[in-house]
Amino acid sequence: MKSNKPDCALETRPTNWKTINWKQAERSVKSFQLRIAKATREGKHNKVKALQWMLTHSWAAKLLAVKRVTENSGKRTPGVDGVRWKTPTQKLRAALSLSRKDYKAMPLRRLYILKKNGKKRPLGIPTMTDRAYQALHLLALQPVAETTADKGSYGFRPYRSCHDAIERCYIHLSRRDSATWILEGDIKGCFDNISHQWLIENIPLDKKILQQWLNAGFIENKRLFPTEKGTPQGGIISPTLANMTLDGLEAAIDKAFGIKIRPDGCRKNNLHKIHLIRYADDFVVTATDKDTLENKVKPLIEEFLVKRGLQLSPEKTKITHITEGFDFLGQNIRMYSRNKLLIRPSKDSIMSVKNKLKEIIVKHRGSQAAVLIRNLNPVITGWANYHRNACSKKTFYKLDRILWRNIWNWARRRHNNLGYRKIVSLLFMRIGNRKWQFFGKFSDGKTILLRMFACFHIKRHTLIAGNANPFDPIWDEYLFKRKFCRYAD
């Protein structure tokens, strides 16, 4: 009789965190995940549940869960108990203590982050133990989520990004016979309002554990508040739960309009050219006329959301013609004359980076040039890399001019006792054809150069295949080439 345990499974308890064979642990977990995804595709729900149980009780998965929560960006932020796992001994002890029988979720630590519109978004910080349990069960849930996900969903999914969603918009709106009307949708407080009952009934996860996470409550100003709906923003598993809640919307629209999906992913009988592109809780729906979106698509979406305890935001949900343009994921998408569709950085996004750069320069008015550059470069690099797939060249040149003006004002204020030529010789050098290259030197003699927006070359992004699944072996070569061999080129 064939054993259910993969050959590469870790069968003995580890005794030293530093000597753990992480590649073996990853192979063991990946083996389980592939089998879970296969059982999901075949509709064997009981087998999925059994494999998930085996995975969440394996040493390899527990070790990887602790490794994730102690190495990500939130490792220094404690929960309500103030506990952090820093040393190898603490990490190993934490992994060995992950037992379902003794587990009880603790309340979240409530924080707030400021949104663009001035409002505050609530953030729930779980304890390290709760984070590890979420990471552990996410390993078992993700194969199911990826196998059943909408093809037009790109948020918080492996190998997918905002650039895929933007590229999909370009594909469906750039041709002469493309759809010309767009429904810009935004779900009001998506994470905070998802129905607990719907999650318990529809998410293929350990019900006992999921119930504890949903009903844990949160602590604010030393008071405990209950959570009657929603999933906490800040939890590792929350984005996947939100994605699974919204999955099925694309299929519901296709069914209502009689759209058939061919094996190669193409859509047949799509007379109204309806396409859904979603990134987390932000989405757009295209169509050939306004009436279809207003009287058919929008009510259908509202009905779909009501069952999950959600509703569309009246402020952000609107129907727009492509010639007027719309903002989506920091980009402005608009059809100009002669049927030319251009995707450019949105005004809000440009204003945001300008203000951020200005704040850094003002904050470092008395700092050395090298320190200022070290703080400016990550912002410039991140923003330019995000927008380099759009028509951003003119915007890059404009931002460089604004940045140079601010840098020059900083230099004159910083060295107000020096003349023009002296300032130029101290802070600027010539590199190739660029005469005004701002630079600085650290105390150890190392030189650092200010990165320029215009140095980032515009590069077209290649849309990922809609059916690509990291838990299906037939896609391994495609995803490997896409990630490591610049397949998009």
Side-chain angles (χ1 to χ4, degrees):
M1 182 176 178
K2 186 178 178 180
S3 172
N4 285 329
K5 185 180 292 185
D7 296 335
C8 55
L10 295 178
E11 298 183 7
T12 58
R13 286 193 179 196
T15 57
N16 190 329
W17 183 264
K18 294 183 178 180
T19 61
I20 294 172
N21 188 337
W22 292 110
K23 289 186 178 180
Q24 183 185 358
E26 290 170 359
R27 285 195 301 268
S28 176
V29 170
K30 187 63 179 288
S31 177
F32 273 117
Q33 290 178 323
L34 293 176
R35 295 170 66 192
I36 291 171
K38 182 181 179 183
T40 303
R41 289 192 297 272
E42 296 172 351
K44 299 178 180 179
H45 304 297
N46 289 334
K47 187 174 182 179
V48 169
K49 188 175 180 180
L51 289 168
Q52 286 181 321
W53 179 274
M54 293 169 64
L55 176 56
T56 55
H57 286 73
S58 68
W59 291 120
K62 292 178 180 180
L63 292 169
L64 287 175
V66 173
K67 185 175 186 287
R68 173 173 179 175
V69 301
T70 54
E71 293 183 359
N72 62 14
S73 58
K75 62 183 179 181
R76 295 185 180 88
T77 307
V80 293
D81 58 357
V83 174
R84 290 185 294 172
W85 299 333
K86 300 179 184 177
T87 65
T89 304
Q90 289 175 328
K91 296 175 184 178
L92 183 61
R93 190 182 299 125
L96 299 177
S97 67
L98 295 181
S99 171
R100 179 181 184 275
K101 182 176 63 175
D102 304 324
Y103 175 65
K104 183 173 175 58
M106 295 187 68
L108 304 167
R109 178 180 160 216
R110 175 57 64 93
L111 297 177
Y112 291 93
I113 55 177
L114 196 63
K115 297 169 67 175
K116 291 181 181 179
N117 57 8
K119 297 181 181 179
K120 292 183 177 180
R121 174 182 287 126
L123 197 66
I125 308 298
T127 63
M128 293 296 287
T129 301
D130 291 334
R131 276 179 250 176
Y133 269 101
Q134 290 188 17
L136 176 63
H137 284 270
L138 180 59
L139 292 172
L141 182 62
Q142 204 166 36
V144 181
E146 284 300 303
T147 304
T148 60
D150 286 347
K151 303 301 181 290
S153 170
Y154 299 100
F156 304 110
R157 295 181 61 193
Y159 295 95
R160 286 165 170 81
S161 65
C162 297
H163 301 117
D164 291 298
I166 296 296
E167 183 63 22
R168 180 100 183 272
C169 289
Y170 180 83
I171 291 171
H172 293 313
L173 296 171
S174 60
R175 293 186 287 269
R176 289 188 176 184
D177 59 345
S178 296
T180 54
W181 288 91
I182 299 94
L183 170 65
E184 304 173 59
D186 184 87
I187 300 170
K188 186 176 181 180
C190 179
F191 282 86
D192 301 325
N193 295 301
I194 300 175
S195 167
H196 284 185
Q197 187 63 32
W198 191 93
L199 289 172
I200 293 296
E201 293 175 356
N202 294 276
I203 300 298
L205 199 64
D206 189 318
K207 306 303 180 186
K208 176 185 174 183
I209 300 293
L210 180 58
Q211 188 80 53
Q212 288 197 53
W213 291 338
L214 297 177
N215 298 330
F218 63 91
I219 290 180
E220 184 177 5
N221 297 327
K222 298 182 180 180
R223 290 180 57 194
L224 176 63
F225 295 88
T227 48
E228 299 176 354
K229 56 184 179 179
T231 61
Q233 291 192 62
I236 290 176
I237 204 170
S238 295
T240 302
L241 293 178
N243 261 341
M244 295 187 75
T245 302
L246 299 176
D247 284 336
L249 178 57
E250 190 172 23
I253 294 174
D254 290 347
K255 183 179 179 181
F257 287 89
I259 301 172
K260 306 295 182 182
I261 308 298
R262 297 191 310 200
D264 60 356
C266 294
R267 301 159 72 81
K268 191 177 179 182
N269 299 333
N270 191 5
L271 301 177
H272 296 281
K273 296 176 183 175
I274 296 173
H275 299 278
L276 171 70
I277 302 106
R278 179 170 65 85
Y279 189 92
D281 58 337
D282 292 327
F283 63 89
V284 296
V285 184
T286 68
T288 53
D289 59 279
K290 184 177 181 180
D291 182 68
T292 299
L293 291 175
E294 194 165 16
N295 299 323
K296 296 179 181 179
V297 175
K298 188 177 178 182
L300 178 65
I301 294 174
E302 290 173 337
E303 182 183 353
F304 178 88
L305 295 177
V306 165
K307 297 175 182 178
R308 291 152 174 79
L310 302 172
Q311 59 179 337
L312 291 175
S313 171
E315 303 170 357
K316 299 180 181 179
T317 302
K318 53 187 177 180
I319 299 173
T320 313
H321 195 269
I322 190 62
T323 55
E324 298 176 12
F326 64 98
D327 291 347
F328 184 53
L329 301 178
Q331 309 282 17
N332 178 261
I333 304 172
R334 183 180 173 186
M335 181 72 77
Y336 291 85
S337 60
R338 298 181 182 179
N339 295 316
K340 185 72 173 179
L341 183 80
L342 293 182
I343 300 177
R344 297 171 171 173
S346 66
K347 291 182 180 179
D348 289 343
S349 184
I350 296 171
M351 185 61 65
S352 176
V353 72
K354 283 166 58 177
N355 292 338
K356 196 166 187 178
L357 292 173
K358 188 175 180 179
E359 286 175 8
I360 293 173
I361 292 172
V362 171
K363 183 179 178 181
H364 292 85
R365 284 180 295 188
S367 302
Q368 297 294 328
V371 177
L372 173 62
I373 295 172
R374 186 175 61 189
N375 285 273
L376 288 174
N377 278 349
V379 177
I380 296 169
T381 303
W383 198 89
N385 276 330
Y386 182 83
H387 292 280
R388 68 185 300 186
N389 302 116
C391 302
S392 308
K393 203 65 178 178
K394 289 184 179 179
T395 304
F396 284 176
Y397 282 128
K398 179 182 177 182
L399 288 173
D400 278 339
R401 290 196 298 271
I402 295 171
L403 180 60
W404 186 90
R405 191 185 307 124
N406 290 334
I407 290 292
W408 179 248
N409 291 336
W410 172 90
R412 291 182 61 188
R413 185 184 188 283
R414 180 76 174 76
H415 301 283
N416 57 5
N417 59 333
L418 299 179
Y420 162 82
R421 294 183 182 275
K422 188 63 176 177
I423 293 174
V424 172
S425 64
L426 278 176
L427 299 174
F428 298 90
M429 66 167 64
R430 188 185 191 98
I431 297 180
N433 295 326
R434 189 181 301 116
K435 181 180 178 181
W436 297 91
Q437 175 62 61
F438 184 53
F439 76 97
K441 286 188 177 181
F442 292 103
S443 56
D444 58 1
K446 290 183 178 180
T447 301
I448 183 172
L449 304 177
L450 178 70
R451 294 175 182 171
M452 311 298 290
F453 286 96
C455 292
F456 291 83
H457 301 291
I458 303 301
K459 178 182 175 183
R460 183 73 176 270
H461 182 78
T462 301
L463 178 67
I464 190 171
N467 293 323
N469 186 349
F471 303 106
D472 189 344
I474 66 173
W475 292 100
D476 286 350
E477 184 179 357
Y478 170 83
L479 294 175
F480 177 83
K481 287 181 179 180
R482 185 177 176 86
K483 183 176 182 181
F484 296 107
C485 302
R486 299 183 180 273
Y487 184 76
D489 293 342

